[in-house]
Amino acid sequence: MSDKRPAYLTIKQHVLDRIQSGALKPGDAIPGEEALAREFGVSRMTVNRAMRELSDEQVVDRIQGAGTFVAQQKFKATL
């Protein structure tokens, strides 16, 4: 990685970009930690930190044994 910021922030931004672009929608599964670790050439714990921060920010829902999913938006537009 030529990026100067920590690897976990790069992974976190990658996931946020995919959500904001619509590539990942609420309820969609996010690739597993092992897959992301291979993709970015980092340890699984680095990916875990990125996912933990996204979970703390309520961007993703982590379900033990099931995976990590894009969270539903907390606000709804009224018609």
Side-chain angles (χ1 to χ4, degrees):
M1 261 184 253
S2 61
D3 205 338
K4 291 190 191 309
R5 63 185 167 177
Y8 80 93
L9 288 176
T10 300
I11 296 164
K12 186 175 167 183
Q13 191 60 53
H14 170 77
V15 173
L16 284 170
D17 290 346
R18 294 199 60 209
I19 292 169
Q20 290 168 348
S21 73
L24 290 171
K25 297 178 177 19
D28 284 355
I30 292 173
E33 289 180 4
E34 290 290 336
L36 287 171
R38 277 193 306 275
E39 180 180 343
F40 287 93
V42 298
S43 74
R44 192 183 61 76
M45 291 308 298
T46 301
V47 176
N48 181 279
R49 180 170 179 187
M51 293 299 109
R52 192 171 64 242
E53 287 195 7
L54 288 170
S55 177
D56 290 347
E57 295 166 11
Q58 299 181 343
V59 174
V60 301
D61 292 322
R62 301 177 86 192
I63 302 168
Q64 188 170 357
T68 304
F69 303 88
V70 178
Q72 297 294 323
Q73 293 297 314
K74 301 299 179 203
F75 56 89
K76 298 285 182 207
T78 56
L79 298 176

